[in-house]
Amino acid sequence: MTNNAPYFNHGTDIALLNGDYTDVFSVLGMHKAENNKTLLVRCFVKGALAVEVLNLKDGKKIATLSQVDGEGLFAGTLGRRVKPFLYSLKVTYPMSVETIIDPYQFGSLLNDDDTYLFAEGKQQKSYQFLGANWQTLADVEGVHFCVWAPNAQKVAVVGDFNHWDARQHVMRFHPSNGIWEIFLPNAKTGQFYKFKVTTQAGELFEKADPYAIQMQAAPGNSSVIPAKNDYQWQDKKWLEKRSKLELHESPMSVYEVHLASWKRKGEWGDTYLSYEDLSNELIPYIKEMGFTHLQLMPISEYPFDGSWGYQPVGLFAATYRFGDPSSLKAFIDECHQNDIGVLLDWVPAHFPKDPHGLAKFDGSCLYEHEDPRQGEHPDWDTLIFNYGRGEVQSFLLSNACYWLEEFHFDGLRLDAVSSMLYLDYSRESGQWLPNEYGGRENIQAINFLKLLNERIYADYPGVTMVAEESTAWGGVTDTTENGGLGFGFKWNMGWMNDCLSYLTRDPIHRKHHHHEMTFSLVYAYTEQFILSLSHDEVVHGKGSLLHKIPGDDWQKFATLRAFLGFMWGHPGKKLLFMGTEFAQRDEWNHNQSLDWHLLQYAPHQGMQDWVRDLNSLYLENPALYELDHQASGFQWLDCDNGDASIFSFIRYGKDSQHLIFVVNMTPQVHHHFRVGLPSENDYIEVLNSDSPCYGGSAVSNGTIINTDIAWQGMARSGLVTVPPLATIVLSVNSADSMLALEED
């Protein structure tokens, strides 16, 4: 080792070479010499033979640095220069010569206002300064790496740009906010990187970037330096229309999709469709079927396919499986240009313990609670976010805003909200800690959810926030001003459980369980509900919806058609999981495509046609959606006819336009069945699930239904034929309606 007294002290260079030195910015880079009469440059370039300092502005050589040792430490003075300037390093290696821009010459890029809001839990766009963001400083373009790890002893960014050597790019630490940062001009799009964390105990971890917007597939699980954001959106008209929409009074028929298994390609059906493929196939299908919204199961990066995305490790990274972020944006853009809203399944309720993820990120329980009674989910073997910590709130709030802001999603469906609300969720006595008032409510999570919904609705007009909440928690969709959680909608899990229980029963026994189908109307207006038949109902041995229903094939298909007719008539928005619309026989398998070949068989094609026509009826009749959230939009004609297992009711719109639903859940045909009717005009049958075109037995009301005596509280009534295991829909005869208007 040469005499390095003018440049280093012996302890410093040993620490730098060993990767033990933390305050690297105080040593490396450009500094004033001790005599203040010149500038001094120090650098660590592993494997270099020689290093020259060049003026970045004109490329002229300023000085040749002295090699302090044989390991890559170089230093030297810059003559009479005393004013700092931007420079590059011309590095001679044994086999090449490269010019690099020294990252240690740059100051901090952090903004105090941003970091203050981050610590306060009110930062909505922390992804704009945390993670890996492209920046330009004094005409120098590079990537600003930034990570929150307040309890780490040291953090270095390692990657393809430095041969994964943790000594090369140790980051600058800000004790005031716990953030580490470094600006790397020589980093390139597509390069892999991670953060090398040294804990206070001296342990070494390689962690993926919590704010990475792209990630490498498992088992590498590295973060990826993103491309510069240059996507040009074409959905301005959609966003303007969305901002003026009152979604509670509008049609909302949602098609829930798992992108990896909706359809596959390749000789063996083992290749995912790309976003371009999905634009060409999924979007036309949704449009043809009449769904208003597409809901994507989680697409934040997840290493394990079998989690379906519900155990995400990269919350900001759109999964690599279907394409890059720009391709996802183009897909959503295309949806919007086809008048299809796109919702995203979002998972803030827990996170997995993968070693490259958030768990013990800096050696401490940073994102989670230290005590497993607060910090772990016993059911899923996952960790729980510390919702009371400001930086964690900002992380989650920013993530929600990221998907809405950068990808133009039209709303978020929050998974497992119940697990967030209760401290004793799925726990026995002694396995949980009560809140400060001795209760079981997770006050920190509740406050976060309220903050989240307030911010989202204030800043993104027309979006919707949907809760999957399965308990009797009050006010999920009430405003936060009224003490509610502030969601726009809640999945109606009670309706779903009761109805599926009813469907599994033999028709002869259904009369004993009649009110499983009617009970939901007791509480239908306590929340803003979505009627959901989701993926959760067709996995883990539960079988498909068709498989749940007893009887032969004819009964199964007829029952499912009748039930879906009941669902589309029932107050509440609609959600159907992919495959249900054509009566998938097998339960859902995430590892393969849906069984599209079934559509060559008439019953399956008929089911698909039935769902398409239900959506068409729904979109064309405001009575089916305008007053979803008001009791005035629904009226039972008969909810007590358990002996016949028949349900009859009216749906009203704002202008008294209405439809009559009669649902028969047994194979018995009923002739001359009297139904109360609110209008003196004659009625016609506008939809019948027993029609031969759907696979039915052709029992129908082929003629006009004349009205006569009062019945069921209505001024008039009519005699109808009720088909077996079927739903029929009646409407005022349009010819009579036009005649009445002309007379008026």
Side-chain angles (χ1 to χ4, degrees):
M1 183 173 292
T2 61
N3 179 12
N4 62 0
Y7 310 126
F8 296 92
N9 65 60
H10 185 66
T12 300
D13 60 17
I14 294 297
L16 284 168
L17 290 173
N18 292 336
D20 296 331
Y21 201 80
T22 300
D23 189 13
V24 178
F25 277 84
S26 68
V27 177
L28 299 182
M30 180 182 287
H31 300 273
K32 287 187 177 182
E34 289 184 7
N35 58 14
N36 286 328
K37 293 182 179 181
T38 187
L39 296 173
L40 171 68
V41 170
R42 305 183 187 96
C43 64
F44 173 56
V45 189
K46 183 181 178 182
L49 299 178
V51 177
E52 297 175 351
V53 177
L54 309 181
N55 190 316
L56 190 60
K57 186 175 182 180
D58 56 19
K60 291 183 178 179
K61 176 181 173 180
I62 303 300
T64 298
L65 302 183
S66 300
Q67 187 167 6
V68 178
D69 59 17
E71 297 292 330
L73 287 176
F74 290 81
T77 55
L78 306 183
R80 297 181 179 180
R81 290 178 177 265
V82 294
K83 186 177 180 179
F85 60 95
L86 292 178
Y87 63 94
S88 60
L89 302 173
K90 183 179 179 181
V91 182
T92 301
Y93 295 101
M95 302 294 290
S96 64
V97 177
E98 297 180 15
T99 299
I100 62 175
I101 300 175
D102 188 358
Y104 290 102
Q105 66 185 297
F106 298 100
S108 174
L109 276 69
L110 290 179
N111 179 288
D112 288 342
D113 290 340
D114 287 338
T115 57
Y116 174 77
L117 289 174
F118 176 67
E120 288 288 299
K122 299 176 181 177
Q123 176 58 257
Q124 294 178 210
K125 295 185 179 180
S126 52
Y127 58 87
Q128 292 183 342
F129 61 90
L130 286 162
N133 288 282
W134 285 97
Q135 299 278 6
T136 301
L137 297 177
D139 296 327
V140 177
E141 187 177 60
V143 178
H144 183 221
F145 293 93
C146 199
V147 63
W148 176 58
N151 302 308
Q153 182 184 136
K154 186 183 65 177
V155 179
V157 60
V158 295
D160 295 340
F161 40 78
N162 60 16
H163 308 289
W164 298 84
D165 184 353
R167 299 174 297 172
Q168 292 284 87
H169 294 126
V170 177
M171 305 172 78
R172 174 191 283 114
F173 182 53
H174 297 269
S176 62
N177 51 45
I179 292 174
W180 301 75
E181 64 162 338
I182 193 170
F183 177 69
L184 295 188
N186 295 95
K188 295 179 176 62
T189 294
Q191 289 180 321
F192 295 154
Y193 73 96
K194 286 184 179 179
F195 294 117
K196 189 78 170 241
V197 178
T198 305
T199 72
Q200 293 296 331
E203 297 176 291
L204 294 176
F205 300 139
E206 279 194 359
K207 291 288 191 177
D209 182 357
Y211 286 84
I213 64 176
Q214 282 184 262
M215 289 184 70
Q216 179 192 23
N221 299 314
S222 292
S223 305
V224 181
I225 296 177
K228 302 173 186 66
N229 183 15
D230 57 357
Y231 184 79
Q232 301 298 312
W233 287 91
Q234 306 294 321
D235 63 349
K236 182 178 179 181
K237 289 184 179 179
W238 168 268
L239 296 180
E240 289 176 348
K241 182 176 77 171
R242 187 188 76 180
S243 68
K244 300 172 184 176
L245 189 68
E246 174 45 66
L247 198 53
H248 295 100
E249 298 180 0
S250 304
M252 187 177 181
S253 180
V254 184
Y255 189 56
E256 185 191 23
V257 169
H258 179 252
L259 291 178
S261 60
W262 179 72
K263 189 180 289 187
R264 293 193 176 187
K265 61 183 180 180
E267 183 179 357
W268 304 103
D270 57 354
T271 304
Y272 299 132
L273 297 187
S274 67
Y275 285 119
E276 184 178 359
D277 296 329
L278 291 162
S279 291
N280 294 332
E281 297 191 44
L282 177 56
I283 292 175
Y285 182 74
I286 293 171
K287 197 171 179 67
E288 177 192 0
M289 290 298 296
F291 290 100
T292 66
H293 288 73
L294 166 66
Q295 180 168 304
L296 303 182
M297 287 170 64
I299 59 170
S300 295
E301 196 58 79
Y302 52 101
F304 175 49
D305 286 346
S307 77
W308 315 329
Y310 288 99
Q311 292 198 16
V313 175
L315 269 183
F316 285 85
T319 178
Y320 71 91
R321 290 167 174 83
F322 319 111
D324 61 22
S326 291
S327 299
L328 173 57
K329 292 175 183 179
F331 171 72
I332 296 172
D333 205 348
E334 187 70 18
C335 285
H336 288 169
Q337 292 175 55
N338 282 275
D339 290 323
I340 298 168
V342 189
L343 308 178
L344 176 65
D345 210 328
W346 188 55
V347 190
H350 63 136
F351 61 93
K353 299 177 180 179
D354 295 63
H356 67 285
L358 297 178
K360 288 190 175 293
F361 188 80
D362 62 357
S364 68
C365 291
L366 194 60
Y367 287 86
E368 70 271 33
H369 292 274
E370 184 77 37
D371 193 319
R373 292 174 295 177
Q374 294 175 290
E376 294 190 19
H377 270 308
D379 283 353
W380 307 317
D381 192 30
T382 54
L383 301 174
I384 302 172
F385 282 105
N386 183 349
Y387 303 107
R389 187 162 196 171
E391 295 88 349
V392 175
Q393 291 178 4
S394 289
F395 173 76
L396 293 172
L397 180 61
S398 294
N399 186 247
C401 292
Y402 171 75
W403 294 109
L404 301 174
E405 178 81 22
E406 302 297 326
F407 290 87
H408 291 199
F409 277 101
D410 301 290
L412 303 175
R413 176 264 191 187
L414 271 68
D415 178 62
V417 170
S418 299
S419 73
M420 299 174 68
L421 296 176
Y422 299 98
L423 295 166
D424 63 345
Y425 181 84
S426 195
R427 298 174 189 270
E428 302 295 333
S429 177
Q431 295 179 338
W432 60 282
L433 297 178
N435 62 34
E436 58 193 282
Y437 305 106
R440 58 197 286 254
E441 299 80 12
N442 189 335
I443 296 173
Q444 295 174 340
I446 294 164
N447 289 337
F448 167 71
L449 291 173
K450 290 181 177 181
L451 172 67
L452 172 72
N453 288 322
E454 287 172 356
R455 292 294 186 89
I456 295 300
Y457 278 109
D459 291 350
Y460 299 96
V463 305
T464 190
M465 300 292 286
V466 181
E468 184 213 19
E469 204 288 301
S470 56
T471 73
W473 187 280
V476 172
T477 58
D478 203 351
T479 63
T480 56
E481 290 85 352
N482 290 337
L485 296 180
F487 283 95
F489 291 99
K490 171 181 173 175
W491 277 15
N492 196 334
M493 310 293 281
W495 170 87
M496 177 272 299
N497 284 317
D498 288 345
C499 289
L500 294 187
S501 173
Y502 181 88
L503 286 184
T504 63
R505 304 184 190 282
D506 190 286
I508 199 171
H509 297 137
R510 285 177 181 157
K511 64 182 179 180
H512 303 298
H513 305 276
H514 190 71
H515 291 296
E516 285 183 328
M517 292 278 277
T518 65
F519 180 67
S520 57
L521 270 301
V522 173
Y523 59 86
Y525 308 105
T526 59
E527 300 279 5
Q528 310 278 358
F529 281 120
I530 292 177
L531 308 181
S532 59
L533 295 176
S534 75
H535 65 278
D536 277 330
E537 315 321 319
V538 292
V539 289
H540 299 320
K542 297 176 185 176
S544 65
L545 290 192
L546 192 71
H547 180 75
K548 298 177 194 294
I549 300 168
D552 58 21
D553 245 23
W554 183 88
Q555 290 190 346
K556 288 176 180 288
F557 278 91
T559 301
L560 184 53
R561 289 195 305 270
F563 170 63
L564 292 177
F566 173 81
M567 174 180 175
W568 256 251
H570 191 290
K573 309 309 180 187
K574 325 299 176 190
L575 182 141
L576 208 61
F577 182 57
M578 64 182 199
T580 306
E581 79 277 12
F582 63 81
Q584 170 102 358
R585 288 182 178 271
D586 294 334
E587 76 173 23
W588 170 52
N589 183 343
H590 70 274
N591 277 324
Q592 65 186 45
S593 169
L594 294 178
D595 294 333
W596 293 100
H597 64 277
L598 293 175
L599 286 170
Q600 66 185 299
Y601 303 108
H604 295 280
Q605 182 63 66
M607 185 69 70
Q608 187 187 57
D609 291 340
W610 173 241
V611 172
R612 180 191 296 114
D613 289 350
L614 281 174
N615 274 332
S616 178
L617 179 80
Y618 180 60
L619 295 175
E620 293 169 2
N621 289 273
L624 295 180
Y625 56 79
E626 273 188 339
L627 298 176
D628 261 340
H629 56 302
Q630 296 182 25
S632 59
F634 177 91
Q635 184 175 3
W636 281 114
L637 290 171
D638 190 352
C639 63
D640 294 318
N641 192 352
D643 287 340
S645 295
I646 291 179
F647 310 87
S648 52
F649 55 87
I650 309 175
R651 290 300 308 274
Y652 288 105
K654 289 182 178 179
D655 60 357
S656 297
Q657 185 250 356
H658 61 276
L659 293 174
I660 311 296
F661 282 74
V662 182
V663 183
N664 177 12
M665 296 303 289
T666 74
Q668 177 67 45
V669 178
H670 297 268
H671 298 284
H672 308 295
F673 187 87
R674 187 167 291 278
V675 177
L677 301 168
S679 172
E680 294 183 355
N681 296 320
D682 294 334
Y683 283 73
I684 58 171
E685 182 182 272
V686 294
L687 210 59
N688 181 343
S689 68
D690 196 50
S691 170
C693 67
Y694 306 128
S697 60
V699 176
S700 68
N701 293 273
T703 60
I704 289 174
I705 301 164
N706 301 120
T707 60
D708 48 29
I709 63 173
W711 190 256
Q712 294 176 328
M714 298 289 106
R716 308 284 282 180
S717 64
L719 296 175
V720 301
T721 298
V722 182
L725 290 171
T727 290
I728 61 173
V729 184
L730 311 177
S731 177
V732 170
N733 185 9
S734 58
D736 286 354
S737 300
M738 290 301 296
L739 180 61
L741 287 172
E742 291 171 3
E743 291 175 350
D744 288 344

